Amino acid sequence: MVRPNAGTKGVPRLDRETQILDIASEQFGTNGFAATSVATVADKAGISKPLIYNYFGSKEGLYEACLDRGGALLADEIE
């Protein structure tokens, strides 16, 4: 499913990263690491796979970024 006006033009990097991490976290949480594809995350975000690789380096890098963010959110709640 391609969204209208998909792409990165006019979207600040931090906002785009947040969007990607939101979608990836949901996919990893629902389907697990092995069953989640970068293609699915990119499709749901309305962006290209190369953009995800540009931001995170690999599927493993994307997963690590999701875990880091989840850990930071958990630490904030514990404080």
Short mmCIF file of all heavy atoms in Angstrom, two decimals:
data_model
loop_
_atom_site.label_atom_id
_atom_site.label_comp_id
_atom_site.label_asym_id
_atom_site.label_seq_id
_atom_site.Cartn_x
_atom_site.Cartn_y
_atom_site.Cartn_z
N MET A 1 0.85 -1.17 0.00
CA MET A 1 0.00 0.00 0.00
C MET A 1 0.89 1.24 0.00
O MET A 1 1.66 1.46 0.92
CB MET A 1 -0.88 -0.04 1.25
CG MET A 1 -1.65 1.22 1.48
SD MET A 1 -2.82 0.98 2.82
CE MET A 1 -2.16 2.08 4.02
N VAL A 2 0.82 2.02 -1.02
CA VAL A 2 1.61 3.25 -1.12
C VAL A 2 0.73 4.41 -0.71
O VAL A 2 -0.38 4.56 -1.16
CB VAL A 2 2.14 3.44 -2.55
CG1 VAL A 2 2.89 4.75 -2.66
CG2 VAL A 2 3.03 2.29 -2.95
N ARG A 3 1.26 5.21 0.18
CA ARG A 3 0.51 6.35 0.65
C ARG A 3 0.74 7.54 -0.28
O ARG A 3 1.83 7.69 -0.82
CB ARG A 3 0.96 6.72 2.06
CG ARG A 3 0.59 5.65 3.08
CD ARG A 3 1.09 6.05 4.43
NE ARG A 3 0.93 5.22 5.57
CZ ARG A 3 0.57 3.97 5.67
NH1 ARG A 3 0.27 3.28 4.64
NH2 ARG A 3 0.49 3.34 6.81
N PRO A 4 -0.26 8.40 -0.44
CA PRO A 4 -0.04 9.60 -1.25
C PRO A 4 1.06 10.46 -0.62
O PRO A 4 1.19 10.52 0.59
CB PRO A 4 -1.39 10.32 -1.21
CG PRO A 4 -2.31 9.51 -0.40
CD PRO A 4 -1.58 8.31 0.12
N ASN A 5 1.82 11.06 -1.48
CA ASN A 5 2.92 11.94 -1.03
C ASN A 5 3.94 11.20 -0.17
O ASN A 5 4.54 11.78 0.73
CB ASN A 5 2.37 13.16 -0.26
CG ASN A 5 1.43 13.96 -1.11
OD1 ASN A 5 1.65 14.16 -2.29
ND2 ASN A 5 0.35 14.42 -0.50
N ALA A 6 4.10 9.90 -0.43
CA ALA A 6 5.08 9.12 0.32
C ALA A 6 6.48 9.63 -0.01
O ALA A 6 6.73 10.09 -1.10
CB ALA A 6 4.96 7.65 -0.02
N GLY A 7 7.36 9.51 0.94
CA GLY A 7 8.74 9.94 0.75
C GLY A 7 9.20 10.76 1.92
O GLY A 7 8.54 10.82 2.94
N THR A 8 10.34 11.36 1.76
CA THR A 8 10.94 12.07 2.89
C THR A 8 10.93 13.58 2.72
O THR A 8 11.30 14.29 3.63
CB THR A 8 12.39 11.61 3.09
OG1 THR A 8 13.12 11.89 1.91
CG2 THR A 8 12.46 10.14 3.41
N LYS A 9 10.55 14.05 1.56
CA LYS A 9 10.61 15.49 1.33
C LYS A 9 9.75 16.24 2.34
O LYS A 9 8.59 15.94 2.53
CB LYS A 9 10.14 15.82 -0.08
CG LYS A 9 11.08 15.32 -1.15
CD LYS A 9 10.72 15.90 -2.48
CE LYS A 9 11.56 15.34 -3.58
NZ LYS A 9 12.84 15.87 -3.72
N GLY A 10 10.37 17.20 3.00
CA GLY A 10 9.65 18.03 3.93
C GLY A 10 9.45 17.43 5.31
O GLY A 10 8.86 18.05 6.18
N VAL A 11 9.94 16.20 5.52
CA VAL A 11 9.78 15.56 6.83
C VAL A 11 11.15 15.56 7.51
O VAL A 11 12.10 14.96 7.01
CB VAL A 11 9.27 14.11 6.69
CG1 VAL A 11 9.16 13.43 8.05
CG2 VAL A 11 7.94 14.08 5.96
N PRO A 12 11.27 16.22 8.65
CA PRO A 12 12.55 16.23 9.36
C PRO A 12 12.99 14.81 9.73
O PRO A 12 12.16 13.95 10.02
CB PRO A 12 12.26 17.05 10.62
CG PRO A 12 11.06 17.87 10.27
CD PRO A 12 10.25 17.03 9.32
N ARG A 13 14.29 14.60 9.70
CA ARG A 13 14.83 13.26 9.97
C ARG A 13 14.33 12.69 11.29
O ARG A 13 13.96 11.52 11.37
CB ARG A 13 16.36 13.30 9.95
CG ARG A 13 16.95 11.91 10.17
CD ARG A 13 18.47 11.91 10.16
NE ARG A 13 18.95 10.59 10.49
CZ ARG A 13 19.66 9.82 9.68
NH1 ARG A 13 20.00 10.26 8.49
NH2 ARG A 13 20.05 8.63 10.05
N LEU A 14 14.33 13.47 12.36
CA LEU A 14 13.89 12.97 13.65
C LEU A 14 12.44 12.49 13.60
O LEU A 14 12.10 11.44 14.15
CB LEU A 14 14.06 14.03 14.73
CG LEU A 14 13.70 13.62 16.16
CD1 LEU A 14 14.53 12.40 16.61
CD2 LEU A 14 13.90 14.76 17.12
N ASP A 15 11.59 13.24 12.91
CA ASP A 15 10.19 12.84 12.77
C ASP A 15 10.07 11.55 11.98
O ASP A 15 9.29 10.66 12.31
CB ASP A 15 9.37 13.93 12.09
CG ASP A 15 9.22 15.18 12.94
OD1 ASP A 15 9.50 15.13 14.16
OD2 ASP A 15 8.83 16.22 12.39
N ARG A 16 10.85 11.42 10.89
CA ARG A 16 10.81 10.22 10.07
C ARG A 16 11.33 9.02 10.85
O ARG A 16 10.76 7.94 10.81
CB ARG A 16 11.63 10.43 8.79
CG ARG A 16 11.62 9.25 7.87
CD ARG A 16 10.26 8.93 7.31
NE ARG A 16 9.92 9.92 6.30
CZ ARG A 16 8.69 10.12 5.86
NH1 ARG A 16 7.70 9.40 6.31
NH2 ARG A 16 8.46 11.03 4.97
N GLU A 17 12.42 9.21 11.61
CA GLU A 17 12.96 8.11 12.42
C GLU A 17 11.92 7.65 13.44
O GLU A 17 11.75 6.45 13.65
CB GLU A 17 14.24 8.54 13.14
CG GLU A 17 15.44 8.58 12.26
CD GLU A 17 16.71 8.94 13.01
OE1 GLU A 17 16.69 9.01 14.26
OE2 GLU A 17 17.73 9.17 12.34
N THR A 18 11.25 8.59 14.08
CA THR A 18 10.23 8.25 15.06
C THR A 18 9.11 7.45 14.41
O THR A 18 8.65 6.44 14.96
CB THR A 18 9.67 9.52 15.72
OG1 THR A 18 10.74 10.20 16.38
CG2 THR A 18 8.57 9.21 16.72
N GLN A 19 8.69 7.87 13.23
CA GLN A 19 7.64 7.15 12.50
C GLN A 19 8.09 5.72 12.19
O GLN A 19 7.34 4.76 12.41
CB GLN A 19 7.31 7.88 11.20
CG GLN A 19 6.31 7.13 10.34
CD GLN A 19 6.27 7.61 8.91
OE1 GLN A 19 7.26 8.13 8.40
NE2 GLN A 19 5.14 7.41 8.26
N ILE A 20 9.31 5.57 11.70
CA ILE A 20 9.83 4.24 11.36
C ILE A 20 9.90 3.38 12.61
O ILE A 20 9.50 2.20 12.60
CB ILE A 20 11.21 4.35 10.69
CG1 ILE A 20 11.09 5.05 9.33
CG2 ILE A 20 11.86 2.98 10.54
CD1 ILE A 20 12.43 5.47 8.73
N LEU A 21 10.40 3.93 13.71
CA LEU A 21 10.53 3.16 14.94
C LEU A 21 9.18 2.77 15.52
O LEU A 21 9.02 1.67 16.05
CB LEU A 21 11.36 3.94 15.98
CG LEU A 21 12.84 4.05 15.65
CD1 LEU A 21 13.53 4.99 16.64
CD2 LEU A 21 13.52 2.70 15.63
N ASP A 22 8.19 3.64 15.41
CA ASP A 22 6.83 3.30 15.87
C ASP A 22 6.30 2.09 15.12
O ASP A 22 5.80 1.14 15.72
CB ASP A 22 5.87 4.48 15.67
CG ASP A 22 6.09 5.63 16.63
OD1 ASP A 22 6.80 5.45 17.64
OD2 ASP A 22 5.54 6.72 16.36
N ILE A 23 6.42 2.13 13.81
CA ILE A 23 5.91 1.03 12.98
C ILE A 23 6.72 -0.23 13.19
O ILE A 23 6.16 -1.33 13.35
CB ILE A 23 5.90 1.46 11.50
CG1 ILE A 23 4.85 2.55 11.29
CG2 ILE A 23 5.65 0.27 10.58
CD1 ILE A 23 4.94 3.28 9.97
N ALA A 24 8.04 -0.11 13.21
CA ALA A 24 8.90 -1.28 13.39
C ALA A 24 8.67 -1.93 14.75
O ALA A 24 8.61 -3.16 14.86
CB ALA A 24 10.37 -0.89 13.22
N SER A 25 8.53 -1.12 15.79
CA SER A 25 8.29 -1.67 17.13
C SER A 25 7.00 -2.47 17.17
O SER A 25 6.94 -3.55 17.76
CB SER A 25 8.24 -0.54 18.17
OG SER A 25 9.48 0.09 18.28
N GLU A 26 5.97 -1.94 16.52
CA GLU A 26 4.70 -2.66 16.46
C GLU A 26 4.85 -3.98 15.70
O GLU A 26 4.36 -5.02 16.15
CB GLU A 26 3.64 -1.79 15.79
CG GLU A 26 2.29 -2.47 15.69
CD GLU A 26 1.25 -1.61 15.00
OE1 GLU A 26 1.37 -0.37 15.00
OE2 GLU A 26 0.32 -2.20 14.45
N GLN A 27 5.56 -3.94 14.58
CA GLN A 27 5.74 -5.15 13.78
C GLN A 27 6.59 -6.19 14.51
O GLN A 27 6.24 -7.37 14.55
CB GLN A 27 6.38 -4.80 12.43
CG GLN A 27 5.48 -4.01 11.51
CD GLN A 27 4.22 -4.78 11.16
OE1 GLN A 27 4.27 -5.89 10.65
NE2 GLN A 27 3.08 -4.19 11.46
N PHE A 28 7.70 -5.76 15.10
CA PHE A 28 8.55 -6.69 15.85
C PHE A 28 7.79 -7.27 17.04
O PHE A 28 7.89 -8.45 17.34
CB PHE A 28 9.83 -6.01 16.34
CG PHE A 28 10.85 -5.73 15.26
CD1 PHE A 28 11.43 -4.48 15.15
CD2 PHE A 28 11.23 -6.71 14.36
CE1 PHE A 28 12.38 -4.21 14.17
CE2 PHE A 28 12.18 -6.45 13.37
CZ PHE A 28 12.76 -5.20 13.28
N GLY A 29 7.03 -6.43 17.74
CA GLY A 29 6.28 -6.87 18.90
C GLY A 29 5.17 -7.84 18.54
O GLY A 29 4.89 -8.79 19.29
N THR A 30 4.55 -7.64 17.40
CA THR A 30 3.44 -8.49 16.98
C THR A 30 3.92 -9.76 16.30
O THR A 30 3.40 -10.85 16.58
CB THR A 30 2.52 -7.72 15.99
OG1 THR A 30 2.04 -6.55 16.66
CG2 THR A 30 1.35 -8.56 15.55
N ASN A 31 4.90 -9.63 15.43
CA ASN A 31 5.30 -10.75 14.58
C ASN A 31 6.63 -11.38 14.94
O ASN A 31 6.96 -12.44 14.42
CB ASN A 31 5.37 -10.28 13.12
CG ASN A 31 4.06 -9.68 12.66
OD1 ASN A 31 3.00 -10.21 12.92
ND2 ASN A 31 4.14 -8.54 11.98
N GLY A 32 7.42 -10.72 15.79
CA GLY A 32 8.75 -11.23 16.11
C GLY A 32 9.77 -10.75 15.09
O GLY A 32 9.43 -10.25 14.02
N PHE A 33 11.03 -10.92 15.44
CA PHE A 33 12.13 -10.44 14.59
C PHE A 33 12.14 -11.16 13.24
O PHE A 33 12.19 -10.53 12.19
CB PHE A 33 13.48 -10.62 15.30
CG PHE A 33 14.65 -10.20 14.45
CD1 PHE A 33 15.00 -8.87 14.36
CD2 PHE A 33 15.39 -11.14 13.74
CE1 PHE A 33 16.07 -8.46 13.57
CE2 PHE A 33 16.46 -10.75 12.95
CZ PHE A 33 16.80 -9.41 12.87
N ALA A 34 12.11 -12.48 13.26
CA ALA A 34 12.26 -13.25 12.02
C ALA A 34 11.13 -12.98 11.03
O ALA A 34 11.36 -12.96 9.82
CB ALA A 34 12.34 -14.74 12.34
N ALA A 35 9.93 -12.80 11.51
CA ALA A 35 8.76 -12.63 10.63
C ALA A 35 8.53 -11.19 10.20
O ALA A 35 7.63 -10.93 9.41
CB ALA A 35 7.52 -13.18 11.31
N THR A 36 9.32 -10.27 10.72
CA THR A 36 9.18 -8.85 10.33
C THR A 36 10.19 -8.55 9.24
O THR A 36 11.37 -8.83 9.40
CB THR A 36 9.41 -7.93 11.54
OG1 THR A 36 8.39 -8.20 12.52
CG2 THR A 36 9.36 -6.47 11.15
N SER A 37 9.72 -7.97 8.16
CA SER A 37 10.63 -7.61 7.07
C SER A 37 10.77 -6.09 6.97
O SER A 37 9.85 -5.35 7.32
CB SER A 37 10.12 -8.16 5.74
OG SER A 37 8.97 -7.45 5.32
N VAL A 38 11.93 -5.68 6.52
CA VAL A 38 12.16 -4.26 6.29
C VAL A 38 11.19 -3.76 5.23
O VAL A 38 10.70 -2.63 5.32
CB VAL A 38 13.63 -4.00 5.88
CG1 VAL A 38 13.85 -2.56 5.46
CG2 VAL A 38 14.57 -4.35 7.03
N ALA A 39 10.87 -4.61 4.26
CA ALA A 39 9.92 -4.22 3.21
C ALA A 39 8.55 -3.88 3.80
O ALA A 39 7.92 -2.91 3.39
CB ALA A 39 9.79 -5.34 2.18
N THR A 40 8.10 -4.67 4.76
CA THR A 40 6.80 -4.41 5.40
C THR A 40 6.83 -3.10 6.17
O THR A 40 5.90 -2.30 6.09
CB THR A 40 6.42 -5.57 6.33
OG1 THR A 40 6.31 -6.76 5.56
CG2 THR A 40 5.11 -5.30 7.05
N VAL A 41 7.89 -2.88 6.93
CA VAL A 41 8.01 -1.63 7.69
C VAL A 41 8.02 -0.44 6.74
O VAL A 41 7.31 0.55 6.95
CB VAL A 41 9.28 -1.64 8.59
CG1 VAL A 41 9.48 -0.29 9.26
CG2 VAL A 41 9.20 -2.76 9.63
N ALA A 42 8.79 -0.54 5.67
CA ALA A 42 8.87 0.55 4.70
C ALA A 42 7.51 0.80 4.06
O ALA A 42 7.08 1.96 3.93
CB ALA A 42 9.91 0.22 3.62
N ASP A 43 6.81 -0.27 3.69
CA ASP A 43 5.50 -0.13 3.07
C ASP A 43 4.52 0.57 4.01
O ASP A 43 3.81 1.49 3.62
CB ASP A 43 4.97 -1.50 2.66
CG ASP A 43 3.65 -1.42 1.93
OD1 ASP A 43 3.57 -0.69 0.92
OD2 ASP A 43 2.69 -2.07 2.37
N LYS A 44 4.49 0.13 5.26
CA LYS A 44 3.56 0.72 6.22
C LYS A 44 3.91 2.18 6.52
O LYS A 44 3.03 2.97 6.85
CB LYS A 44 3.52 -0.11 7.50
CG LYS A 44 2.81 -1.45 7.30
CD LYS A 44 2.71 -2.21 8.60
CE LYS A 44 1.95 -3.51 8.40
NZ LYS A 44 0.54 -3.33 8.11
N ALA A 45 5.20 2.54 6.40
CA ALA A 45 5.63 3.92 6.63
C ALA A 45 5.50 4.77 5.37
O ALA A 45 5.65 5.99 5.44
CB ALA A 45 7.08 3.94 7.12
N GLY A 46 5.25 4.13 4.24
CA GLY A 46 5.14 4.87 2.99
C GLY A 46 6.48 5.41 2.50
O GLY A 46 6.54 6.47 1.88
N ILE A 47 7.54 4.66 2.79
CA ILE A 47 8.88 5.07 2.38
C ILE A 47 9.57 3.90 1.68
O ILE A 47 9.01 2.81 1.56
CB ILE A 47 9.72 5.52 3.60
CG1 ILE A 47 9.83 4.39 4.62
CG2 ILE A 47 9.12 6.77 4.22
CD1 ILE A 47 10.81 4.64 5.73
N SER A 48 10.80 4.10 1.26
CA SER A 48 11.56 3.05 0.58
C SER A 48 12.41 2.26 1.58
O SER A 48 12.80 2.78 2.63
CB SER A 48 12.47 3.65 -0.48
OG SER A 48 13.48 4.43 0.12
N LYS A 49 12.70 1.00 1.23
CA LYS A 49 13.61 0.19 2.05
C LYS A 49 14.98 0.84 2.16
O LYS A 49 15.55 0.85 3.26
CB LYS A 49 13.75 -1.22 1.47
CG LYS A 49 12.58 -2.10 1.70
CD LYS A 49 12.78 -3.56 1.33
CE LYS A 49 13.77 -3.85 0.28
NZ LYS A 49 13.89 -5.26 -0.09
N PRO A 50 15.53 1.39 1.06
CA PRO A 50 16.86 2.01 1.19
C PRO A 50 16.91 3.12 2.23
O PRO A 50 17.95 3.33 2.87
CB PRO A 50 17.15 2.54 -0.22
CG PRO A 50 16.38 1.62 -1.12
CD PRO A 50 15.12 1.31 -0.35
N LEU A 51 15.81 3.83 2.44
CA LEU A 51 15.81 4.87 3.46
C LEU A 51 15.99 4.26 4.85
O LEU A 51 16.74 4.79 5.68
CB LEU A 51 14.53 5.70 3.41
CG LEU A 51 14.47 6.87 4.39
CD1 LEU A 51 15.57 7.89 4.09
CD2 LEU A 51 13.12 7.53 4.36
N ILE A 52 15.34 3.14 5.10
CA ILE A 52 15.51 2.47 6.39
C ILE A 52 16.95 2.03 6.57
O ILE A 52 17.56 2.22 7.62
CB ILE A 52 14.53 1.29 6.53
CG1 ILE A 52 13.09 1.82 6.61
CG2 ILE A 52 14.87 0.44 7.76
CD1 ILE A 52 12.02 0.75 6.66
N TYR A 53 17.53 1.44 5.51
CA TYR A 53 18.94 1.02 5.58
C TYR A 53 19.86 2.23 5.76
O TYR A 53 20.86 2.15 6.48
CB TYR A 53 19.33 0.22 4.35
CG TYR A 53 18.68 -1.14 4.32
CD1 TYR A 53 17.81 -1.50 3.30
CD2 TYR A 53 18.93 -2.08 5.32
CE1 TYR A 53 17.21 -2.75 3.27
CE2 TYR A 53 18.33 -3.32 5.31
CZ TYR A 53 17.48 -3.66 4.28
OH TYR A 53 16.90 -4.89 4.26
N ASN A 54 19.52 3.35 5.16
CA ASN A 54 20.30 4.57 5.31
C ASN A 54 20.27 5.05 6.77
O ASN A 54 21.30 5.46 7.31
CB ASN A 54 19.75 5.65 4.38
CG ASN A 54 20.56 6.93 4.42
OD1 ASN A 54 21.75 6.93 4.66
ND2 ASN A 54 19.90 8.05 4.16
N TYR A 55 19.12 4.99 7.39
CA TYR A 55 18.99 5.45 8.77
C TYR A 55 19.55 4.47 9.80
O TYR A 55 20.15 4.88 10.79
CB TYR A 55 17.52 5.70 9.11
CG TYR A 55 16.93 6.99 8.59
CD1 TYR A 55 17.57 7.78 7.66
CD2 TYR A 55 15.70 7.42 9.04
CE1 TYR A 55 17.00 8.97 7.19
CE2 TYR A 55 15.12 8.60 8.58
CZ TYR A 55 15.79 9.36 7.65
OH TYR A 55 15.22 10.53 7.21
N PHE A 56 19.32 3.16 9.58
CA PHE A 56 19.61 2.18 10.63
C PHE A 56 20.66 1.14 10.24
O PHE A 56 21.08 0.36 11.09
CB PHE A 56 18.32 1.48 11.07
CG PHE A 56 17.30 2.45 11.60
CD1 PHE A 56 16.25 2.88 10.81
CD2 PHE A 56 17.40 2.96 12.89
CE1 PHE A 56 15.30 3.78 11.28
CE2 PHE A 56 16.47 3.87 13.37
CZ PHE A 56 15.43 4.28 12.56
N GLY A 57 21.08 1.11 8.99
CA GLY A 57 22.15 0.22 8.56
C GLY A 57 21.71 -1.18 8.16
O GLY A 57 22.22 -1.73 7.21
N SER A 58 20.78 -1.76 8.90
CA SER A 58 20.35 -3.13 8.65
C SER A 58 19.07 -3.40 9.43
O SER A 58 18.65 -2.57 10.25
CB SER A 58 21.42 -4.12 9.12
OG SER A 58 21.58 -4.01 10.54
N LYS A 59 18.48 -4.55 9.19
CA LYS A 59 17.31 -4.95 9.97
C LYS A 59 17.70 -5.07 11.45
O LYS A 59 16.96 -4.66 12.34
CB LYS A 59 16.77 -6.29 9.45
CG LYS A 59 15.57 -6.82 10.22
CD LYS A 59 15.09 -8.13 9.61
CE LYS A 59 14.06 -8.80 10.47
NZ LYS A 59 13.61 -10.08 9.89
N GLU A 60 18.88 -5.61 11.69
CA GLU A 60 19.37 -5.74 13.07
C GLU A 60 19.55 -4.37 13.72
O GLU A 60 19.24 -4.19 14.90
CB GLU A 60 20.69 -6.53 13.10
CG GLU A 60 20.54 -7.99 12.76
CD GLU A 60 20.40 -8.29 11.26
OE1 GLU A 60 20.56 -7.36 10.41
OE2 GLU A 60 20.11 -9.45 10.92
N GLY A 61 20.05 -3.40 12.95
CA GLY A 61 20.20 -2.04 13.47
C GLY A 61 18.86 -1.41 13.80
O GLY A 61 18.72 -0.69 14.79
N LEU A 62 17.87 -1.66 12.96
CA LEU A 62 16.52 -1.17 13.22
C LEU A 62 15.96 -1.79 14.49
O LEU A 62 15.39 -1.10 15.34
CB LEU A 62 15.61 -1.48 12.02
CG LEU A 62 14.14 -1.12 12.14
CD1 LEU A 62 13.95 0.38 12.38
CD2 LEU A 62 13.39 -1.56 10.88
N TYR A 63 16.14 -3.09 14.63
CA TYR A 63 15.67 -3.80 15.82
C TYR A 63 16.35 -3.27 17.08
O TYR A 63 15.71 -3.01 18.10
CB TYR A 63 15.94 -5.30 15.65
CG TYR A 63 15.38 -6.17 16.74
CD1 TYR A 63 14.01 -6.33 16.89
CD2 TYR A 63 16.21 -6.87 17.60
CE1 TYR A 63 13.48 -7.15 17.88
CE2 TYR A 63 15.69 -7.69 18.58
CZ TYR A 63 14.33 -7.83 18.72
OH TYR A 63 13.81 -8.63 19.70
N GLU A 64 17.66 -3.06 16.99
CA GLU A 64 18.42 -2.53 18.13
C GLU A 64 17.91 -1.13 18.51
O GLU A 64 17.77 -0.82 19.70
CB GLU A 64 19.90 -2.48 17.80
CG GLU A 64 20.76 -2.00 18.95
CD GLU A 64 22.23 -2.00 18.61
OE1 GLU A 64 22.68 -2.80 17.77
OE2 GLU A 64 22.95 -1.17 19.22
N ALA A 65 17.62 -0.30 17.52
CA ALA A 65 17.10 1.04 17.79
C ALA A 65 15.74 0.96 18.49
O ALA A 65 15.45 1.74 19.40
CB ALA A 65 16.99 1.84 16.50
N CYS A 66 14.91 0.00 18.08
CA CYS A 66 13.61 -0.21 18.74
C CYS A 66 13.81 -0.63 20.20
O CYS A 66 13.12 -0.13 21.09
CB CYS A 66 12.80 -1.27 18.00
SG CYS A 66 12.18 -0.77 16.39
N LEU A 67 14.75 -1.55 20.42
CA LEU A 67 15.02 -2.01 21.79
C LEU A 67 15.58 -0.87 22.65
O LEU A 67 15.19 -0.72 23.82
CB LEU A 67 16.00 -3.18 21.77
CG LEU A 67 15.48 -4.48 21.20
CD1 LEU A 67 16.59 -5.53 21.18
CD2 LEU A 67 14.28 -5.00 21.97
N ASP A 68 16.49 -0.08 22.08
CA ASP A 68 17.06 1.04 22.82
C ASP A 68 15.97 2.03 23.23
O ASP A 68 15.94 2.49 24.37
CB ASP A 68 18.11 1.78 21.99
CG ASP A 68 19.40 1.00 21.83
OD1 ASP A 68 19.61 0.00 22.57
OD2 ASP A 68 20.21 1.37 20.96
N ARG A 69 15.09 2.34 22.29
CA ARG A 69 14.01 3.28 22.59
C ARG A 69 13.06 2.70 23.63
O ARG A 69 12.65 3.39 24.57
CB ARG A 69 13.26 3.65 21.32
CG ARG A 69 12.24 4.76 21.57
CD ARG A 69 11.60 5.23 20.31
NE ARG A 69 10.61 4.26 19.88
CZ ARG A 69 9.57 4.53 19.13
NH1 ARG A 69 9.39 5.76 18.67
NH2 ARG A 69 8.71 3.62 18.79
N GLY A 70 12.73 1.42 23.51
CA GLY A 70 11.85 0.78 24.48
C GLY A 70 12.47 0.77 25.87
O GLY A 70 11.80 1.02 26.86
N GLY A 71 13.77 0.51 25.93
CA GLY A 71 14.46 0.53 27.22
C GLY A 71 14.48 1.92 27.83
O GLY A 71 14.30 2.06 29.05
N ALA A 72 14.67 2.93 27.02
CA ALA A 72 14.67 4.30 27.52
C ALA A 72 13.29 4.69 28.04
O ALA A 72 13.18 5.34 29.10
CB ALA A 72 15.11 5.27 26.42
N LEU A 73 12.25 4.29 27.33
CA LEU A 73 10.88 4.57 27.79
C LEU A 73 10.60 3.87 29.11
O LEU A 73 10.00 4.46 30.01
CB LEU A 73 9.85 4.15 26.74
CG LEU A 73 9.84 4.96 25.44
CD1 LEU A 73 8.94 4.28 24.40
CD2 LEU A 73 9.41 6.38 25.68
N LEU A 74 11.04 2.64 29.23
CA LEU A 74 10.84 1.88 30.46
C LEU A 74 11.61 2.53 31.62
O LEU A 74 11.06 2.69 32.73
CB LEU A 74 11.29 0.44 30.28
CG LEU A 74 11.13 -0.49 31.47
CD1 LEU A 74 9.67 -0.59 31.89
CD2 LEU A 74 11.68 -1.86 31.14
N ALA A 75 12.84 2.94 31.39
CA ALA A 75 13.64 3.59 32.42
C ALA A 75 12.99 4.88 32.89
O ALA A 75 12.96 5.19 34.09
CB ALA A 75 15.04 3.85 31.91
N ASP A 76 12.42 5.64 31.95
CA ASP A 76 11.74 6.89 32.31
C ASP A 76 10.53 6.60 33.21
O ASP A 76 10.27 7.34 34.14
CB ASP A 76 11.28 7.64 31.05
CG ASP A 76 12.43 8.27 30.30
OD1 ASP A 76 13.55 8.36 30.85
OD2 ASP A 76 12.21 8.68 29.14
N GLU A 77 9.80 5.55 32.90
CA GLU A 77 8.62 5.20 33.70
C GLU A 77 9.02 4.73 35.10
O GLU A 77 8.32 5.03 36.07
CB GLU A 77 7.81 4.10 33.00
CG GLU A 77 7.06 4.57 31.79
CD GLU A 77 6.03 5.66 32.10
OE1 GLU A 77 5.30 5.53 33.11
OE2 GLU A 77 5.98 6.63 31.34
N ILE A 78 10.14 4.04 35.20
CA ILE A 78 10.60 3.56 36.51
C ILE A 78 11.03 4.72 37.39
O ILE A 78 10.78 4.72 38.59
CB ILE A 78 11.75 2.54 36.34
CG1 ILE A 78 11.19 1.25 35.72
CG2 ILE A 78 12.43 2.25 37.67
CD1 ILE A 78 12.22 0.24 35.33
N GLU A 79 11.64 5.74 36.79
CA GLU A 79 12.07 6.92 37.56
C GLU A 79 10.86 7.60 38.10
O GLU A 79 10.72 8.09 39.13
CB GLU A 79 12.83 7.89 36.66
CG GLU A 79 14.23 7.45 36.38
CD GLU A 79 14.97 8.44 35.52
OE1 GLU A 79 14.51 9.59 35.34
OE2 GLU A 79 16.03 8.09 35.00
#
